[in-house]
Amino acid sequence: MMLNMQLMLPAATKTIETASRLTPLHDHQLLVFWVQLLVITAIARFLGYVVFRVKLPTVIGHLLAGVVLGPSVFGKIWPDGFNWFIPEEAISSGALFAVTWVGVALLLVTAGFETDLNLIRRLGRAALLVTGFSLIVPLIGGLLTALALPDVFVASGANHNVFAMFIAAALSVSALAVIARILSELGLMRRDFGQITMAAGMANDVIGWMMLSVFAGFAVGGVSFSSVTKTIIGLSLFLVLAMTIGQRIVDYCLCQVLRIGVGIPTAVSIAIFTMLTFGVITQSLGIEAVLGAFVAGVVLNRSRFQQQEVLHHIESLTNSFLAPVFFAIAGMRVDLALLAEREALVGAVVIVVVALVTKFVGSFVGAKLARLSNRVAAALGAGLNARGALEIVIASVGLSTGVFSDTAYTVIVIMPLITSLFAAVTLQVIVRDWRGTADELERLEREEELVRNLVVRSDRLMLVSRANPASIAASQIVHFAWPDEVPVTVVSVNTESKDDATSSALDITVLRNVFDEREVDHNILRSDNVAHAIAEESQLGYGMICLGVSGEERESRLYSPMVDELLLQAELPVLIVRKARGLKTPLPSAFVRMVVPVTGTRSSRAAQEIALGISSELGTEVVLTHVVAVHGLQLENPLRRLGKQVSKQVSQVKNSEVTDRHGVEFNEATTRIVKSLIGTASDFFAQKGVTPVVHLRKSTSPALALVEAITEVEADLVVLGASLRQVNRRPFLGQTVETILEHCDANIVVVAMPYEGHSE
């Protein structure tokens, strides 16, 4: 027994020693910490709102809040209160800075989410030239300026050449976090120059951290070039692995989140874990963890399984709390009292002016060499002048290694505050009333439209296919209706036990030819229940299920047993393309005329989005049709002409009388509703340069009236919207849709929108 106690004592002692290392904040320190967060958040948010009211980015208010709460204002007005608020204990400062680093890391994750690598790749030459000149020119200017600065800026005993290197590094780099914040608040992140600015800012940060590690090595007694090479190789290897293996791991994890259905909190946890992992790697390479956080955001955004709500959750916490705290604490480190001496003030002015001018000139020259316009070049020069965390770190390292004096430290900390203010103000002036080039404007409008749309969005599409003629027809509609940048996954379900049983049917070469240069991949599922397998797969990051069916006669089912079962299980919109009856080949390469019924519902709007894409791509004439249901109208034959066709342009419809074929006017309320429906739909098409033809009808049988209208205008395509419901354990798309499917021989596209109810 005694022996066992003796064996246990060392382990117990070790546990106690380990626990003692986790030194907690005592009650007073905790009180100070919570007061710090409360006051900093309140003042930063208040001043952020104030500057927002004068149309400046809120980040300026956050930085100014730090100056107000720092030694320059608060410390002078109430020294005792300031000493209580900012105590000298290292543990108190450490707790506060831990919060700020988490904040800047999350801020960089959101910036990564909004970084488009494909767009940067397309703008590669411009991004490379702007990055190079925006670094080289300020670096040279910083070296020359530092060599001419008085000794008051240089710490006693410091090497002046090493001091010059630190100054040059501080002047040459930009702050990715501040750039991202300014661009985001001004709504410029998706602009071409905004993406170039982000790319150059990222490169600035990477090179800045590497310069800092080299120069810090010189400051403490030399640096090993092998260690610098190791850092560069390590960073390059990290970027490659992050975009390959790291991307696959993130994709797998996010895919499992969707497959299992564990919800957004788990997806957010994966985003945070990815940020921390990448941050640890970059920090271990001697580069700041925030760069890893930015790369994590890029990788997360590239995943096809990412859910947009994840970004919204991270942004909400970051923008409302963590980012204001980070920028405010950066401003709190400014002590304007150190600039009281004339020599120090003149030197500070010189450093700030050189920083502003050289960064602007370098960016401008790089942009002009890339053949960008003067306005774009000026915007890049303004945006890249934003500086922040890295300059503060350079100042801190310079001070701790005995290179900077207190005066130099204060100037380097003040410099990013002034240059960031300059960046925000000048950028806002430059971009005022500037919409960009025609190509850029078209891209931005298309992106905004995809965000607003119900079904024609940027989400990946699932095309259910076995490469038969019906699938080819569906692929044609998808290719016509969706922009080229929207990717497609062709999903085939193999119900055979042997692979060779369906090898020929799973060849999708013909589909790849239809989609031309669109990104297409092929996923083969193995299941005996085809509908269930497709419905389950559809939850993995897709925006819509698309499939083709034949025009053969049906019995009691809507389309086929499999399609009907899929409609019952699907939680996404389903696009069903039915070829014209008797058509043995895929759809024609173009359509002459298509009919689009207008009802004012979400499903009707979804159908209009499909029709607009087809018309914009092929020039197909659009016939908007609306039938007003009436009672007691005597008709000879419901399948004969049911009303006088009213074909007018949008402006004519809005100002005309709405009548039936007998010349009887609709009542005022009906007229107002009809004109509103048609006017809204017509405007939707007109915004894209498509002028639709309008047909108004009145009938006791709207479904048969639409069949008559389709035949009358000789339409070769009909695009219908429907709200999917379940009646007697079968899918029901509405009487109108089912009647048209039964009586109409034309090519028919049905957009079935999910319906929450399960019975009628």
Side-chain angles (χ1 to χ4, degrees):
M1 183 69 175
M2 182 63 69
L3 179 60
N4 290 337
M5 290 292 294
Q6 290 174 344
L7 291 174
M8 293 173 62
L9 281 173
T13 303
K14 185 176 181 180
T15 301
I16 294 173
E17 291 176 353
T18 302
S20 66
R21 298 174 191 172
L22 301 174
T23 305
L25 296 174
H26 56 67
D27 289 345
H28 177 71
Q29 290 172 331
L30 277 173
L31 174 63
V32 172
F33 173 70
W34 290 116
V35 170
Q36 287 173 334
L37 290 181
L38 172 62
V39 174
I40 291 172
T41 304
I43 300 299
R45 294 284 291 174
F46 172 72
L47 291 182
Y49 174 76
V50 171
V51 299
F52 174 77
R53 294 290 294 177
V54 296
K55 298 183 178 180
L56 288 175
T58 58
V59 64
I60 300 303
H62 301 160
L63 289 168
L64 291 175
V67 176
V68 171
L69 293 173
S72 302
V73 180
F74 186 20
K76 291 294 185 293
I77 297 174
W78 188 17
D80 292 339
F82 178 77
N83 291 332
W84 185 94
F85 184 67
I86 306 293
E88 295 182 357
E89 293 96 332
I91 191 171
S92 297
S93 299
L96 195 58
F97 275 104
V99 176
T100 67
W101 281 115
V102 172
V104 72
L106 288 175
L107 182 62
L108 266 297
V109 169
T110 62
F113 261 92
E114 298 191 69
T115 300
D116 188 339
L117 293 184
N118 292 328
L119 181 57
I120 292 175
R121 191 178 298 112
R122 181 169 63 83
L123 302 170
R125 180 173 179 271
L128 182 63
L129 288 171
V130 171
T131 298
F133 280 89
S134 69
L135 281 167
I136 293 173
V137 175
L139 192 65
I140 295 173
L143 287 171
L144 296 176
T145 301
L147 294 174
L149 287 173
D151 292 338
V152 68
F153 288 88
V154 186
S156 177
N159 184 299
H160 209 102
N161 291 329
V162 175
F163 167 79
M165 294 178 186
F166 270 81
I167 293 292
L171 267 63
S172 61
V173 296
S174 302
L176 186 60
V178 182
I179 291 173
R181 184 74 167 175
I182 292 174
L183 291 175
S184 179
E185 290 195 354
L186 294 179
L188 304 173
M189 186 71 79
R190 296 297 303 171
R191 296 288 294 270
D192 286 356
F193 81 86
Q195 291 292 298
I196 296 176
T197 305
M198 288 297 296
M202 180 176 66
N204 272 226
D205 258 10
V206 172
I207 296 173
W209 291 115
M210 293 202 301
M211 284 194 299
L212 178 59
S213 64
V214 173
F215 298 161
F218 285 131
V220 297
V223 65
S224 170
F225 286 101
S226 62
S227 65
V228 175
T229 304
K230 181 180 178 181
T231 299
I232 296 174
I233 294 176
L235 177 62
S236 302
L237 186 61
F238 162 70
L239 292 174
V240 171
L241 293 178
M243 296 298 173
T244 53
I245 297 176
Q247 184 73 66
R248 292 184 180 181
I249 294 174
V250 168
D251 286 348
Y252 175 79
C253 293
L254 293 176
C255 176
Q256 294 307 306
V257 169
L258 292 172
R259 190 181 299 277
I260 299 172
V262 290
I264 296 298
T266 304
V268 173
S269 298
I270 292 173
I272 300 299
F273 182 80
T274 305
M275 176 196 77
L276 295 174
T277 302
F278 285 15
V280 167
I281 295 173
T282 52
Q283 189 73 51
S284 66
L285 293 173
I287 302 170
E288 200 60 39
V290 292
L291 177 64
F294 176 78
V295 176
V298 174
V299 170
L300 289 164
N301 183 55
R302 292 178 69 212
S303 175
R304 52 173 287 194
F305 306 109
Q306 185 58 263
Q307 302 175 71
Q308 194 63 29
E309 292 86 349
V310 172
L311 175 60
H312 296 159
H313 280 70
I314 295 176
E315 277 185 328
S316 297
L317 176 63
T318 303
N319 294 340
S320 62
F321 173 50
L322 294 173
V325 170
F326 167 73
F327 290 115
I329 291 178
M332 287 173 64
R333 306 185 75 174
V334 173
D335 187 358
L336 299 176
L338 294 175
L339 302 180
E341 297 182 7
R342 181 179 179 278
E343 193 175 42
L345 181 60
V346 171
V349 172
V350 170
I351 288 176
V352 171
V353 170
V354 170
L356 288 171
V357 173
T358 55
K359 178 63 78 170
F360 187 91
V361 170
S363 303
F364 192 93
V365 170
K368 293 305 297 179
L369 289 175
R371 296 186 176 89
L372 300 178
S373 68
N374 290 335
R375 200 166 190 178
V376 171
L380 288 166
L384 287 172
N385 253 303
R387 296 173 173 89
L390 182 51
E391 281 74 14
I392 295 171
V393 174
I394 291 174
S396 301
V397 173
L399 185 64
S400 62
T401 56
V403 176
F404 283 169
S405 67
D406 289 340
T407 302
Y409 170 82
T410 297
V411 171
I412 299 303
V413 173
I414 290 174
M415 186 257 294
L417 177 63
I418 298 175
T419 57
S420 295
L421 178 61
F422 170 84
V425 174
T426 54
L427 189 58
Q428 194 167 23
V429 172
I430 292 170
V431 302
R432 182 176 298 163
D433 300 325
W434 176 37
R435 303 184 66 189
T437 64
D439 290 342
E440 182 183 14
L441 186 60
E442 181 181 355
R443 176 179 63 81
L444 292 173
E445 288 179 349
R446 185 169 63 251
E447 290 178 356
E448 292 178 3
E449 178 183 314
L450 291 177
V451 172
R452 293 193 305 265
N453 282 351
L454 295 174
V455 293
V456 181
R457 300 171 63 89
S458 58
D459 305 298
R460 179 177 290 269
L461 301 172
M462 175 195 287
L463 175 64
V464 180
S465 172
R466 295 180 68 84
N468 53 17
S471 300
I472 298 172
S475 68
Q476 290 176 286
I477 292 296
V478 168
H479 188 58
F480 296 149
W482 270 266
D484 292 340
E485 59 266 25
V486 177
V488 174
T489 295
V490 178
V491 174
S492 303
V493 182
N494 187 355
T495 58
E496 301 289 340
S497 58
K498 296 181 179 180
D499 293 341
D500 59 355
T502 57
S503 58
S504 60
L506 299 180
D507 182 5
I508 65 165
T509 302
V510 64
L511 300 181
R512 293 186 185 276
N513 293 335
V514 170
F515 288 125
D516 196 17
E517 298 181 356
R518 187 189 300 270
E519 179 189 337
V520 180
D521 59 9
H522 189 199
N523 189 8
I524 301 176
L525 308 178
R526 301 186 184 279
S527 175
D528 292 332
N529 190 329
V530 177
H532 178 74
I534 294 171
E536 187 177 67
E537 175 71 15
S538 70
Q539 300 303 306
L540 304 183
Y542 297 96
M544 193 166 197
I545 303 172
C546 309
L547 53 90
V549 297
S550 66
E552 298 176 359
E553 294 295 333
R554 55 188 176 83
E555 296 179 358
S556 60
R557 294 186 177 273
L558 181 60
Y559 286 108
S560 70
M562 188 281 289
V563 175
D564 285 7
E565 185 64 27
L566 175 60
L567 288 172
L568 293 177
Q569 296 187 35
E571 297 180 11
L572 295 178
V574 180
L575 179 75
I576 306 171
V577 179
R578 196 207 72 181
K579 291 199 310 173
R581 292 194 179 100
L583 184 64
K584 302 301 183 183
T585 62
L587 299 183
S589 58
F591 300 101
V592 176
R593 187 175 298 107
M594 64 177 149
V595 168
V596 185
V598 177
T599 61
T601 61
R602 290 178 74 253
S603 57
S604 176
R605 172 57 184 262
Q608 292 168 36
E609 293 172 6
I610 302 291
L612 176 60
I614 295 172
S615 180
S616 299
E617 181 71 18
L618 303 178
T620 305
E621 182 183 56
V622 177
V623 180
L624 300 179
T625 305
H626 180 76
V627 180
V628 178
V630 295
H631 300 285
L633 184 63
Q634 299 298 320
L635 300 173
E636 298 177 0
N637 189 326
L639 288 179
R640 296 181 61 184
R641 185 181 302 263
L642 299 178
K644 183 178 181 181
Q645 177 179 301
V646 182
S647 301
K648 298 178 182 297
Q649 301 300 331
V650 177
S651 59
Q652 293 175 308
V653 170
K654 290 182 177 180
N655 297 313
S656 67
E657 295 296 332
V658 180
T659 63
D660 71 346
R661 76 184 188 95
H662 302 289
V664 179
E665 296 183 2
F666 294 122
N667 60 49
E668 183 179 350
T670 301
T671 300
R672 184 169 59 252
I673 293 172
V674 170
K675 288 184 177 180
S676 175
L677 291 176
I678 293 296
T680 300
S682 298
D683 289 343
F684 175 71
F685 283 90
Q687 289 173 0
K688 285 296 182 180
V690 176
T691 304
V693 174
V694 176
H695 282 220
L696 302 179
R697 291 170 177 264
K698 181 168 68 172
S699 172
T700 56
S701 177
L704 294 177
L706 285 172
V707 172
E708 176 72 9
I710 294 166
T711 304
E712 190 174 90
V713 302
E714 299 180 349
D716 48 3
L717 179 64
V718 182
V719 184
L720 304 169
S723 294
L724 183 60
R725 286 160 284 178
Q726 182 181 142
V727 178
N728 296 327
R729 299 187 61 81
R730 66 178 287 269
F732 180 62
L733 299 179
Q735 189 63 45
T736 298
V737 173
E738 298 206 0
T739 299
I740 292 175
L741 285 171
E742 181 178 356
H743 293 288
C744 182
D745 294 334
N747 301 292
I748 298 177
V749 176
V750 178
V751 187
M753 301 295 289
Y755 187 75
E756 294 182 358
H758 298 289
S759 63
E760 185 177 72

